[in-house]
Amino acid sequence: MSYVDGFVAAVPTINKEKYLVHAKLCSEIFKEYGALKLVENWADDVPEGKVTSFPMAVKAKADESVVFSWIIWPSKAVRDSAWDAVMADPRMLPENNPMPFDGKRLIYGGFNTIFES
């Protein structure tokens, strides 16, 4: 089964185009190192919760939008072997590909796929 890295971030709404440029470059890099697919989603119908929610999880401000993203890998082994290489790639350095959002509020993690339909 595939392996998935998932991400949720708060991005200043004004930075939508900058985020898209950033995401496209990251997509090229991750695919070079074995990722099968990258998906970026910009909030459309993401309500604020009372107990928890996407906006609350990333402490989204009124002028920010939530982004929900994932990377699909063929396996955890491929992901693990690629991750350090991706992070060491000069194109991923902040001066070459700055994150147009506050990375301290980025939520991420790796997931084993247990069902696909």
Side-chain angles (χ1 to χ4, degrees):
M1 284 268 192
S2 59
Y3 191 79
V4 176
D5 281 313
F7 309 87
V8 181
V11 179
T13 304
I14 196 166
N15 286 352
K16 185 175 183 179
E17 289 306 315
K18 287 181 183 177
Y19 183 84
L20 192 54
V21 169
H22 171 79
K24 286 178 180 178
L25 178 56
C26 289
S27 173
E28 291 172 17
I29 296 166
F30 279 103
K31 285 183 173 181
E32 284 178 26
Y33 291 99
L36 300 174
K37 184 175 186 177
L38 284 82
V39 179
E40 297 284 348
N41 301 279
W42 194 265
D44 176 56
D45 184 14
V46 182
E48 183 78 32
K50 291 185 180 181
V51 176
T52 189
S53 66
F54 281 111
M56 291 170 69
V58 293
K59 298 182 179 179
K61 300 171 186 165
D63 64 343
E64 294 177 321
S65 295
V66 174
V67 173
F68 175 49
S69 311
W70 62 89
I71 304 170
I72 301 173
W73 300 92
S75 67
K76 185 174 190 305
V78 171
R79 182 268 208 165
D80 288 350
S81 67
W83 199 262
D84 288 339
V86 167
M87 292 302 123
D89 190 299
R91 296 169 293 174
M92 291 295 286
L93 294 173
E95 58 270 19
N96 297 331
N97 188 16
M99 288 192 306
F101 59 92
D102 180 2
K104 293 181 195 115
R105 291 184 285 142
L106 172 70
I107 297 172
Y108 62 92
F111 298 85
N112 288 306
T113 301
I114 61 170
F115 176 77
E116 288 185 50
S117 176

